[in-house]
Amino acid sequence: MRKKLSALILCFAILFTGCAQTVPASGRAISKIDDKYKTFYEVFVYSFCDSNGDGIGDLNGLTGKLDYLNDGDDLSDSDLGIDAIWLMPIMPSGTYHKYDVENYMDIDEEYGTMADFDNLISECNKRGIDVIIDLVINHSSSFNPWFKEATGYIDECIKAGKEPNASECKYFDYYNFSNTLQSGYRSLSNGWYYEAQFDSRMPDMNLANESLRADIADIVDFWFAHGVSGFRLDAVKEFYSGNPTKNIETLTWFNSMVKEKKPDAYLVGECWTDMETYVKYYASGVDSFFNFGFAQAEGFSARAAKTSNKGLTAKDYAAKTEYIQQSIVAVNPNGIDAPFLSNHDMDRAAGYFSGDNAMYEYKMAGALNLMMSGNAFIYYGEEIGMKGSGTDPNRRAPMYWDLDVYAEGMTKGPSELKGVTQKYRPVNEQLEDASSILNFYKGLIKLRNMYPEIARGTVDNLEEYTTESVAVLQKTYNDSKITIMINVSAEAQTIDLGDISITSADWLYANPDAKGKDSVGKIKKGEIVLPAFSLVIVEME
Ligand code: CA
């Protein structure tokens, strides 16, 4: 370690004094690496952007908004900067959310056509955006022809007075039928029952059936041919409810099947359970599983970002980031964490915070999420602090492009949506405000794009510096090391660096309008001062 501060420090100190911009202005260029590490944006097409005036979001609407997400120009700061999209289900379905699929090889007509999808993919490719789609194979719709064939066959058997047999109708074995009532089963009203853990319209499928597996492989081929980069796997915990071993076996089959077709495909599974249990699912080879432990109001990110009644601190967050990464790679050395703040099944994160510092705390929760290793996910509207809680429709409210509900592209949202009032400004106003949540999110994503170490690095919680207010994480990727310091408190925090010198620094301030001597980060000999609600990425010697 060098005793003397380098000339560069002086340089940075001058550069940053009195310069409280939101988007980092110096440091490295955007670094594009062709691998599976991305910053994802979850889109509920229904509520995102309407292109044809029926009030329902559609694929062409999303395509029209791609420049908002990523304009393909690394040098521009006008776009959010994400480089991957997760589309919630887009296949034909009888529900607004479309988690019950009637046909696995088509687009729901509310959303458009296969040609619209191909155009979306083509426009995403131009911008360097990968697209993964929701694949719901735990269950189908009860209106899926497979289920209708099977139940029709059972009716025939009852009439003919014979036992159903899959050798006569293969679809009989695509689902779990029984002539006695069992837990999680629903009545067919002909004396037979079928397993449907979620809803009577969502019959569970028998994923051990070889013929069904062959159909699923064809479905995977179909979507790869249409340019998807991978899949988000719904409800993997319910493949065999209560039987993780069989779930992992099924996922191992699915992962191998997919990777044989497309070795660089990316898969992320929804396994909504405790940290110790879901980590075991990495044994399947599936690249990622959503990290529910850091999500929601009770998760490590949101609670560490609260300045009062928090329960968990920056210290807990920092320790857990290291713990979860070690836990994942212990099971699968190629496993990729998939952190997020909230998704379509939970209350939106802006509602987790209240009081005078609510917006700063919310921004810092976003920072804690986006500074995590792995593939961080952003739920549409999170980047502008959209609210929505209580019911699923409320959590899936229309993307708030404009104050005017009749403005171009605005959707009407799910029919049962009610009582959602937005607290923060719409997209078009936040774009113009340097201190907006949106511009802070842009800064965070830009940091992820500038520093490949953030997503890809091995994380070390630097316990000698980390406090209840400041998480200090070192990330090592190949031969490169960066240190991320995140001050989640409402006061400036000083970190004693001893004789370590800092050679570069990129700052982000959640409250760039703060006045006073501590509103701008300072690097002095032997110490660094982090303003309230700020983060800095430094390289040290
Ligand atoms: Ca529409």
Side-chain angles (χ1 to χ4, degrees):
M1 301 204 180
R2 295 188 313 177
K3 289 261 180 200
K4 243 175 69 181
L5 295 175
S6 73
L8 267 171
I9 300 177
L10 192 62
C11 233
F12 276 103
I14 291 165
L15 202 63
F16 285 100
T17 301
C19 171
Q21 76 288 335
T22 303
V23 176
S26 82
R28 307 181 192 173
I30 299 286
S31 167
K32 283 279 153 80
I33 299 174
D34 185 20
D35 62 12
K36 294 184 183 185
Y37 288 85
K38 306 284 173 190
T39 305
F40 271 88
Y41 190 81
E42 177 189 358
V43 177
F44 181 42
V45 176
Y46 195 93
S47 290
F48 197 65
C49 181
D50 174 26
S51 73
N52 63 356
D54 65 359
I56 298 172
D58 44 56
L59 295 177
N60 288 338
L62 169 58
T63 304
K65 289 292 187 184
L66 287 180
D67 281 347
Y68 165 75
L69 297 175
N70 188 331
D71 62 9
D73 178 0
D74 289 348
L75 298 175
S76 77
D77 280 332
S78 55
D79 55 341
L80 190 57
I82 59 93
D83 50 8
I85 291 172
W86 154 27
L87 293 177
M88 284 166 62
I90 53 174
M91 300 162 192
S93 169
T95 55
Y96 82 90
H97 53 72
K98 311 199 193 296
Y99 274 98
D100 42 343
V101 177
E102 294 178 9
N103 176 358
Y104 286 91
M105 298 196 207
D106 206 351
I107 298 291
D108 190 291
E109 61 182 16
E110 286 185 330
Y111 285 1
T113 63
M114 281 310 308
D116 296 341
F117 184 80
D118 293 340
N119 182 48
L120 168 67
I121 294 288
S122 159
E123 291 300 317
C124 283
N125 287 343
K126 287 180 195 167
R127 293 164 175 80
I129 303 172
D130 282 359
V131 176
I132 68 168
I133 61 170
D134 230 305
L135 186 61
V136 188
I137 55 172
N138 171 68
H139 53 265
S140 75
S141 164
S142 56
F143 296 96
N144 189 295
W146 297 341
F147 190 72
K148 291 200 284 191
E149 287 265 344
T151 55
Y153 169 69
I154 293 171
D155 286 341
E156 282 172 30
C157 292
I158 291 168
K159 270 187 213 147
K162 63 178 184 183
E163 279 296 305
N165 190 313
S167 65
E168 289 182 351
C169 172
K170 66 176 184 176
Y171 301 112
F172 176 68
D173 208 24
Y174 275 33
Y175 299 89
N176 301 310
F177 293 107
S178 172
N179 53 12
T180 57
L181 181 59
Q182 301 181 43
S183 168
Y185 280 58
R186 322 257 173 167
S187 173
L188 271 178
S189 76
N190 59 8
W192 279 72
Y193 302 89
Y194 63 101
E195 188 191 8
Q197 299 283 348
F198 285 106
D199 190 289
S200 61
R201 292 164 304 178
M202 296 179 172
D204 279 70
M205 291 204 278
N206 171 20
L207 293 167
N209 181 272
E210 288 301 327
S211 180
L212 173 58
R213 286 190 173 193
D215 277 336
I216 292 171
D218 288 346
I219 291 162
V220 166
D221 278 331
F222 176 84
W223 290 104
F224 280 153
H226 283 280
V228 305
S229 298
F231 301 95
R232 178 263 186 189
L233 296 169
D234 185 59
V236 304
K237 187 166 68 80
E238 308 305 330
F239 286 178
Y240 296 91
S241 299
N243 193 337
T245 305
K246 286 184 83 172
N247 294 336
I248 293 167
E249 277 173 17
T250 307
L251 288 166
T252 303
W253 157 74
F254 184 84
N255 181 68
S256 307
M257 178 270 287
V258 164
K259 304 287 168 70
E260 265 175 41
K261 298 177 187 298
K262 184 174 163 60
D264 65 346
Y266 175 69
L267 300 176
V268 53
E270 181 208 22
C271 185
W272 194 345
T273 180
D274 61 87
M275 223 174 239
E276 285 65 33
T277 307
Y278 94 81
V279 161
K280 293 179 184 154
Y281 279 68
Y282 275 93
S284 63
V286 166
D287 303 275
S288 294
F289 291 89
F290 288 113
N291 184 341
F292 283 86
F294 278 71
Q296 305 188 82
E298 297 307 306
F300 288 97
S301 293
R303 289 183 75 182
K306 287 188 177 184
T307 52
S308 59
N309 300 321
K310 52 205 285 172
L312 296 168
T313 67
K315 205 172 216 172
D316 298 302
Y317 163 87
K320 267 305 196 229
T321 58
E322 187 182 292
Y323 166 82
I324 192 66
Q325 187 182 58
Q326 288 174 355
S327 303
I328 290 169
V329 298
V331 181
N332 176 1
N334 298 315
I336 298 171
D337 196 5
F340 65 106
L341 268 188
S342 76
N343 68 20
H344 60 282
D345 285 326
M346 52 189 68
D347 291 349
R348 281 185 175 272
Y352 305 166
F353 306 95
S354 57
D356 292 345
N357 288 324
M359 184 171 78
Y360 308 133
E361 293 174 12
Y362 179 70
K363 285 177 172 176
M364 295 315 291
L368 294 174
N369 182 45
L370 285 160
M371 289 303 108
M372 286 192 67
S373 297
N375 288 342
F377 283 71
I378 298 166
Y379 184 40
Y380 82 93
E382 183 189 311
E383 76 277 19
I384 55 167
M386 266 177 67
K387 292 191 77 174
S389 61
T391 66
D392 284 345
N394 287 1
R395 295 158 175 156
R396 304 164 185 174
M399 179 65 179
Y400 194 35
W401 299 108
D402 195 300
L403 204 55
D404 176 5
V405 296
Y406 299 109
E408 193 181 344
M410 290 291 286
T411 63
K412 62 186 181 186
S415 62
E416 288 168 46
L417 173 87
K418 57 180 170 212
V420 176
T421 307
Q422 295 305 335
K423 176 177 179 180
Y424 300 111
R425 310 305 294 173
V427 170
N428 62 345
E429 295 183 31
Q430 290 203 26
L431 281 169
E432 305 303 321
D433 173 5
S435 63
S436 67
I437 296 168
L438 177 54
N439 276 306
F440 187 74
Y441 261 72
K442 280 189 206 169
L444 291 168
I445 297 164
K446 189 173 180 188
L447 288 176
R448 280 181 78 84
N449 292 333
M450 281 162 56
Y451 292 95
E453 298 91 337
I454 297 173
R456 298 161 182 83
T458 302
V459 59
D460 287 304
N461 171 24
L462 299 186
E463 287 173 72
E464 63 271 42
Y465 303 117
T466 287
T467 67
E468 295 202 340
S469 298
V470 186
V472 182
L473 301 170
Q474 190 174 66
K475 304 248 187 149
T476 308
Y477 173 60
N478 295 334
D479 294 330
S480 178
K481 261 189 214 312
I482 59 167
T483 302
I484 307 171
M485 303 177 181
I486 311 169
N487 177 10
V488 294
S489 76
E491 291 86 35
Q493 301 288 334
T494 300
I495 297 172
D496 182 356
L497 296 172
D499 56 5
I500 296 172
S501 59
I502 288 174
T503 56
S504 79
D506 267 305
W507 292 89
L508 272 188
Y509 309 113
N511 179 7
D513 296 330
K515 297 286 186 284
K517 67 181 173 60
D518 290 331
S519 66
V520 174
K522 294 181 189 70
I523 299 166
K524 295 186 255 179
K525 185 169 176 153
E527 67 176 38
I528 183 165
V529 182
L530 282 96
F533 307 116
S534 71
L535 72 142
V536 65
I537 296 181
V538 299
E539 289 175 271
M540 307 196 290
E541 293 184 348

